[in-house]
Amino acid sequence: EDQVTQSPEALRLQEGESSSLNCSYTVSGLRGLFWYRQDPGKGPEFLFTLYSAGEEKEKERLKATLTKKESFLHITAPKPEDSATYLCAVLGSGNTGKLIFGQGTTLQVKP
Amino acid sequence: DADVTQTPRNRITKTGKRIMLECSQTKGHDRMYWYRQDPGLGLQLIYYSFDVKDINKGEISDGYSVSRQAQAKFSLSLESAIPNQTALYFCATSDHQFGEQFFGPGTRLTVL
């Protein structure tokens, strides 16, 4: 069964304190792993797509990496505006194009 | 202007009422999806459509129906709303089978 597990559920950081969010996945043949940012009451905002182990993508203070079993979202020197819930998703098996989402990690960055 | 729009943004209704949530997109994508989000359960797929003539059930389609009026419009209906359908509803689009999906701003639905 396709499954995505994110940890931790919640993370509190001081401004400037770097850390990483984890996304572990189980899927038959990975065809894409996606990271999204979601602010309260809003739709998920697309951040990155990763397709193969070893791939890395960067955007400002965020860097996503991928191995055969998990992905990490590294946040370097975070700012309060980085506070949000970060969602990880994989394309499910079959041809639906369905995204299998994890529960998310809620990040709070304090000034 | 937003690429994916949803109306209404908020809706309060009563048990047994029929309601429709609408989604429009200007991205030119063929694939459209409806998800619901519940606290602690993440996002779950309700229905998806690969083009105007192709509509498919997702993992939680019971109690819902959809209509793809055009490439750009995909509507979700609750035939007879019940309280456990209270949730955030999101529409999403993508341009190919393995591509990222782009989400609308969501509709917060409350069924009393």
Side-chain angles (χ1 to χ4, degrees):
Chain A
E1 180 183 354
D2 300 336
Q3 193 169 0
V4 176
T5 303
Q6 291 186 245
S7 62
E9 289 186 13
L11 182 62
R12 287 186 179 182
L13 299 174
Q14 288 296 130
E15 185 172 2
E17 180 186 2
S18 301
S19 188
S20 297
L21 282 55
N22 177 264
C23 171
S24 297
Y25 64 89
T26 303
V27 66
S28 298
L30 181 68
R31 295 177 295 177
L33 183 142
F34 306 88
W35 282 98
Y36 288 85
R37 169 192 170 126
Q38 186 175 25
D39 292 298
K42 296 189 177 181
E45 174 189 350
F46 170 71
L47 293 174
F48 303 110
T49 305
L50 301 167
Y51 288 109
S52 57
E55 190 174 359
E56 299 181 352
K57 294 274 181 73
E58 284 189 70
K59 179 181 179 181
E60 297 181 352
R61 295 177 292 282
L62 301 177
K63 179 179 178 180
T65 63
L66 181 64
T67 72
K68 290 186 177 181
K69 292 185 177 182
E70 56 192 350
S71 177
F72 293 93
L73 185 65
H74 307 278
I75 304 177
T76 302
K79 298 182 178 181
E81 53 261 42
D82 294 322
S83 298
T85 295
Y86 292 86
L87 302 172
C88 172
V90 297
L91 274 169
S93 304
N95 295 319
T96 66
K98 177 177 75 170
L99 291 178
I100 310 296
F101 281 88
Q103 308 283 43
T105 294
T106 299
L107 172 66
Q108 183 180 25
V109 181
K110 294 193 170 183
Chain B
D1 288 341
D3 294 321
V4 183
T5 58
Q6 293 184 235
T7 56
R9 295 296 315 279
N10 290 282
R11 179 75 183 269
I12 299 174
T13 191
K14 294 183 178 180
T15 297
K17 295 290 188 181
R18 182 181 189 277
I19 66 165
M20 179 182 289
L21 310 182
E22 298 185 328
C23 175
S24 295
Q25 52 113 348
T26 59
K27 299 184 77 69
H29 293 170
D30 285 327
R31 294 168 179 259
M32 298 187 74
Y33 305 82
W34 274 105
Y35 291 88
R36 69 176 274 176
Q37 187 175 38
D38 299 274
L41 291 180
L43 283 140
Q44 297 174 279
L45 183 66
I46 307 172
Y47 269 94
Y48 60 100
S49 170
F50 289 168
D51 62 42
V52 175
K53 296 181 180 180
D54 182 22
I55 293 178
N56 304 277
K57 293 182 178 181
E59 54 193 339
I60 56 165
S61 59
D62 287 349
Y64 301 95
S65 63
V66 291
S67 173
R68 185 82 183 266
Q69 299 94 327
Q71 185 206 36
K73 295 185 182 296
F74 193 34
S75 299
L76 176 72
S77 293
L78 285 67
E79 299 301 326
S80 179
I82 57 177
N84 75 0
Q85 291 177 314
T86 294
L88 269 171
Y89 289 84
F90 292 103
C91 173
T93 74
S94 68
D95 64 351
H96 65 89
Q97 186 175 0
F98 305 133
E100 56 272 11
Q101 294 180 17
F102 297 91
F103 286 78
T107 294
R108 182 175 295 277
L109 176 66
T110 302
V111 183
L112 301 176

